[in-house]
Amino acid sequence: LTMSSKVREVEHTAASQCEYATTTSYVSKSTSDDGDTAVWSEPADPPTDAAEAAAGSTPTVRLPEGTTLRVAPMDRKCGGWDYEHFHDKLRLAEGCNAGRGVVVTLEAMARECIAVALSPTSHYDMGKTYVVHFGASGNLSTVIRRHVNETEAVDVTFPSRVCTDNRYQSYWIILQGGKLSCGVGDSPGHRCIGTLDDTLYNQLRSGVDAVRCVGVGNSALGRHSRDLRVRNIRVMPIPSAFGGIEGIPIVEEKREGGFVNVLAAPSMGMGGASGAGTGMPGEAELLAEYEKECAKAKARAAKFGTEYKQPPPDAFFKWSEARRLRANPERGFATGFDVLSPEEQAKAQRRKERFADEDKKRRREMGEDVDDGEDAEGGNPQDDEMDAAEEAKAEAEAAAAAAKGPLPVEQAWDNDDLVGEHRLDPPENLYASSEAREDADEQNRDMEEDNEADKAVVVSEKIHIFGIDWAAFKQIRSDDIMAHFKMYGPSYVEWLGELSCNVLFEDKFSAARALAALSSELPSPPPESLGAEANPPPPIATAPPAAGVALDGSSALEIGSTPPPDATSEDAAAVDAAMGDGEMGGGTAGEVSEASDAAVASRSDLGRMGWRLCTFPIRKVVNDRFGRRGTRSRILMRVASSFDVLVERPTEWPRPPPGFSTKRILGPGDDFKTDNRRTGRKAKRRRRSGGSGGGGGGKRHNSGGGGRRHSDDNYGEDMDEGGEPRGLEGALRAAR
């Protein structure tokens, strides 16, 4: 028998809950590959030579192997640090000279914001504690900071991408001679991210304030912050092999601008789809471009002698792409293969048949009668009656399921007159129809001024969605969309406007599965059932219609009907005039047919463009300030293109439809509701005081007594807001 070399992991939620051991590390100095600098060398086994072992031995305090810290996001109090983030034994070993410096190494797995504190004591000491934030600002930078007081700090920021959420990454921190450096990798001093020069404070501070203790925290903020894991923490003094004046050599990253990106290696993955051949710049491409721009900004600052400030991603990228880079979304589920291919479909069918055969075999062994699907001659009449009853029941269940089933495809053209102008249709060369693609390609070949950068290409990892119900879709947020697609592992929602957004997936196969399962194909050309009356144009005005006039602007009175009691003579005259002009049923059957054909012809051919209708409406899953739980909105979906981006941040938004509200549940058909009824305590007070003969809303007639007479002219001046005379205000308040 061979014993496993794996160690069972023990997880703790704070550094104060762990046990720490003092061991000996053997550090020596070796020469780098180029032969110019000395590098940190730490053999796996202790040296056999006693003199060499004595020269390289360094007392080290470490977290035992197999112990992991799971650190939750810190509270924003006292700088976010608490006693649980430190431990009395997580410090330099006894007898070490803290004045020479300290070295900290660790491994961590996190999306962002790994915080490591270096303090003279086992707690956060304002003005004397250094904090290194790996992966700050959405894993776009690393910050080294020492707070002088609550409002002032000495800090530096370096653009970098150093956190990983799918594997452990090694980090190191070196404080020597008043300079604090940090980097990535197993060799302290190499692949340096940046250095904070705080030599002046180092010269002025006392020996008591020298850094000895280490704390581990999580500085992620916001509702999307996640726990991080840390292991193999080690604290040691500057090894004797680097005991000279120069100390441990610091070697910066050999990249343009010194930008450190641990995700640059192809085998490490980028937390998103690569942009190669997809038209969508992946994280690797965006970071590479960001590195170049940061290097240019740093060189410009050095040339003109100005302070270097890290430029924001918005200065170089399209706004939606920069927002995605800052958001640092979590990785979604990667399918890895095309489950919709004929080969995979055939495999699935074979698995289904095999499972069915195994089920029949099991039932036969249990003594059950199994029907092999062969028609028996001369069946039993009672069995036929039972079969007929079962068929009727199955048909009823199928009808009930159809009533709750997928939305009819005709609904894809609903509200087209209202929201159609806001819909972004794909270019013709990306139409689902092969003839349209061929015509567009031929037209592009004939164009002399053809720019490759302006060509639209399909982005298979994105699904572009568009809301049909404007008022309801305004209540939908990113969490609702993520919940709608959760079975297929989405990673990010990229908003392009009030009615449209992109849903990003880890690979094109997951996006294809979601599109096929959650939407229905639309016919091309549009169905003939879409007549002129199937989708009347919505009203433009937000004011309520006059009596006897419907919401679509037409009269609600039919020919030969009696006007409602509250209809005036002017309303009746308007109806008669409309009937005389042929606006209400005055056209012939041929004219109505021509209008219907024209309406169908004016409908956009959504199926030809590649649009699909959602199988079920998207639903709001939680109450918030944007809307109410239960709101439903129908959406159109298609594969996204490289043109489905937001170049600049929008400065204005279209006016919402009249039916929009965040206080009630909305759904299809609520775009045009204009219910202006007042609700609440003020409305009840108005209705209660609005009666005739003494209420605040009616006229007060002159009294016949000898008291003060209130006329209609000065009544409003003598009454308060509640409709009560001001003379009675004090008495009423005292009585209440």
Side-chain angles (χ1 to χ4, degrees), residues 377-396:
E377 296 182 359
N380 190 349
Q382 296 181 357
D383 294 341
D384 295 340
E385 294 178 359
M386 293 178 61
D387 293 341
E390 291 179 356
E391 289 179 2
K393 182 179 179 181
E395 290 178 359

Side-chain angles (χ1 to χ4, degrees), residues 7 20 71 104 119 133 154 163 178 212 267 275 284 290 301 304 313 316 318 324 343 402 490 577 602 611 648 717:
V7 179
Y20 300 90
V71 186
V104 180
S119 175
H133 300 272
V154 178
C163 290
R212 294 178 175 83
S267 61
Y290 189 51
F304 295 101
F316 320 119
K318 296 175 182 178
R324 171 164 58 94
E343 296 80 6
S602 65
W611 287 104
E648 297 179 354
E717 299 177 0

Side-chain angles (χ1 to χ4, degrees), residues 389-659:
E390 291 179 356
E391 289 179 2
K393 182 179 179 181
E395 290 178 359
E397 292 178 354
K404 300 180 181 179
L407 298 175
V409 294
E410 290 80 9
Q411 295 189 15
W413 285 267
D414 287 358
N415 286 356
D416 191 51
D417 297 315
L418 177 66
V419 300
E421 60 179 342
H422 303 289
R423 187 182 63 244
L424 180 61
D425 296 326
E428 290 189 7
N429 66 312
L430 300 183
Y431 279 8
S433 172
S434 58
E435 298 142 356
R437 287 198 301 268
E438 292 174 1
D439 296 341
D441 293 340
E442 184 178 355
Q443 184 179 3
N444 290 337
R445 285 193 297 268
D446 295 339
M447 295 176 62
E448 296 181 359
E449 300 178 0
D450 188 21
N451 189 1
E452 291 291 334
D454 295 337
K455 281 187 176 180
V457 295
V458 172
V459 183
S460 304
E461 295 80 9
K462 285 184 182 181
I463 294 180
H464 181 75
I465 69 176
F466 178 79
I468 299 176
D469 305 305
W470 190 348
F473 195 76
K474 272 182 67 68
Q475 290 192 12
I476 301 298
R477 314 310 295 175
S478 297
D479 292 343
D480 309 318
I481 297 176
M482 294 288 282
H484 187 74
F485 290 92
K486 66 179 180 180
M487 295 297 294
Y488 305 94
S491 60
Y492 182 65
V493 177
E494 183 181 39
W495 285 95
L496 306 180
E498 281 193 340
L499 286 167
S500 61
C501 65
N502 296 326
V503 184
L504 276 68
F505 293 84
E506 194 67 19
D507 59 8
K508 62 181 181 181
F509 305 118
S510 299
R513 289 175 56 218
L515 189 65
L518 299 179
S519 63
S520 304
E521 187 176 358
L522 297 179
S524 176
E528 296 181 358
S529 58
L530 295 175
E533 300 298 330
N535 188 14
I540 304 299
T542 60
V549 180
L551 285 176
D552 60 353
S554 61
S555 175
L557 299 177
E558 298 180 358
I559 300 175
S561 63
T562 304
D566 56 346
T568 61
S569 58
E570 289 81 359
D571 297 330
V575 173
D576 294 338
M579 293 172 57
D581 294 339
E583 296 179 0
M584 285 191 54
T588 63
E591 293 175 350
V592 172
S593 178
E594 291 177 1
S596 178
D597 295 341
V600 173
S602 65
R603 300 295 175 194
S604 302
D605 195 349
L606 301 178
R608 182 168 174 261
M609 299 177 187
W611 287 104
R612 300 167 64 93
L613 179 65
C614 63
T615 308
F616 299 97
I618 192 169
R619 182 177 178 273
K620 191 166 185 65
V621 297
V622 66
N623 292 330
D624 54 27
R625 62 188 180 94
F626 302 103
R628 309 301 297 172
R629 176 183 177 183
T631 291
R632 295 171 295 107
S633 174
R634 299 165 296 177
I635 58 175
L636 295 174
M637 293 191 282
R638 62 172 172 83
V639 180
S641 71
S642 57
F643 283 6
D644 295 325
V645 294
L646 199 58
V647 179
E648 297 179 354
R649 182 174 184 175
T651 57
E652 58 182 9
W653 301 94
R655 189 174 182 178

Side-chain angles (χ1 to χ4, degrees), residues 710-725:
H710 295 276
S711 64
D712 295 335
D713 296 332
N714 62 2
Y715 174 71
E717 299 177 0
D718 295 334
M719 304 296 290
D720 63 2
E721 295 180 358
E724 298 169 342

Side-chain angles (χ1 to χ4, degrees), residues 62-350:
R62 65 176 302 158
L63 189 67
E65 186 178 359
T67 303
T68 303
L69 288 180
R70 186 185 183 97
V71 186
M74 300 183 299
D75 295 331
R76 299 186 64 180
K77 60 179 180 180
C78 188
W81 293 94
D82 203 353
Y83 285 96
E84 68 176 17
H85 300 114
F86 295 85
H87 195 284
D88 294 337
K89 294 183 179 180
L90 187 57
R91 54 181 298 157
L92 287 175
E94 294 294 336
C96 295
N97 184 6
R100 292 182 55 195
V102 61
V103 179
V104 180
T105 63
L106 68 150
E107 296 178 358
M109 181 168 57
R111 287 179 58 236
E112 57 182 349
C113 298
I114 306 168
V116 181
L118 285 75
S119 175
T121 58
S122 57
H123 63 273
Y124 186 89
D125 195 349
M126 180 68 69
K128 303 176 183 179
T129 302
Y130 293 97
V131 179
V132 180
H133 300 272
F134 293 102
S137 303
N139 199 18
L140 279 178
S141 62
T142 297
V143 180
I144 307 176
R145 177 179 294 127
R146 180 177 63 85
H147 268 287
V148 180
N149 49 47
E150 293 290 345
T151 58
E152 297 179 349
V154 178
D155 58 4
V156 288
T157 302
F158 304 95
S160 58
R161 193 78 156 178
V162 295
C163 290
T164 59
D165 59 352
N166 59 345
R167 63 181 177 87
Y168 278 96
Q169 173 64 41
S170 301
Y171 304 91
W172 56 262
I173 301 171
I174 299 175
L175 176 61
Q176 56 183 359
K179 296 181 179 180
L180 181 61
S181 304
C182 63
V184 297
D186 298 326
S187 179
H190 274 246
R191 298 197 68 184
C192 176
I193 302 174
T195 301
L196 171 64
D197 190 350
D198 202 17
T199 53
L200 180 59
Y201 168 73
N202 183 61
Q203 295 173 0
L204 297 178
R205 67 169 177 79
S206 62
V208 180
D209 295 333
V211 169
R212 294 178 175 83
C213 302
V214 176
V216 181
N218 182 351
S219 57
L221 301 176
R223 63 190 183 95
H224 293 295
S225 57
R226 297 291 184 267
D227 296 353
L228 59 86
R229 291 180 173 86
V230 181
R231 69 181 185 185
N232 294 339
I233 306 173
R234 299 192 305 171
V235 183
M236 66 182 74
I238 302 295
S240 57
F242 299 94
I245 300 177
E246 66 279 0
I248 302 175
I250 304 299
V251 181
E252 292 188 356
E253 178 77 355
K254 294 181 179 179
R255 293 175 65 90
E256 187 174 6
F259 190 98
V260 178
N261 179 16
V262 299
L263 304 176
S267 61
M268 299 305 177
M270 295 303 300
S274 174
T278 64
M280 178 184 70
E283 193 171 318
E285 288 82 356
L286 293 177
L287 287 174
E289 185 67 23
Y290 189 51
E291 291 178 29
K292 296 178 182 178
E293 298 297 338
C294 290
K296 292 178 182 178
K298 185 178 292 186
R300 194 180 304 113
K303 179 179 179 180
F304 295 101
T306 58
E307 182 183 359
Y308 167 72
K309 293 184 178 180
Q310 180 183 354
D314 308 57
F316 320 119
F317 307 135
K318 296 175 182 178
W319 188 76
S320 58
E321 295 174 351
R323 191 177 184 185
R324 171 164 58 94
L325 193 63
R326 289 195 308 268
N328 188 29
E330 296 185 61
R331 295 171 61 91
F333 174 76
T335 303
F337 62 96
D338 187 6
V339 298
L340 303 178
S341 63
E343 296 80 6
E344 295 297 331
Q345 293 288 338
K347 291 180 183 179
Q349 182 63 26
R350 288 195 295 269

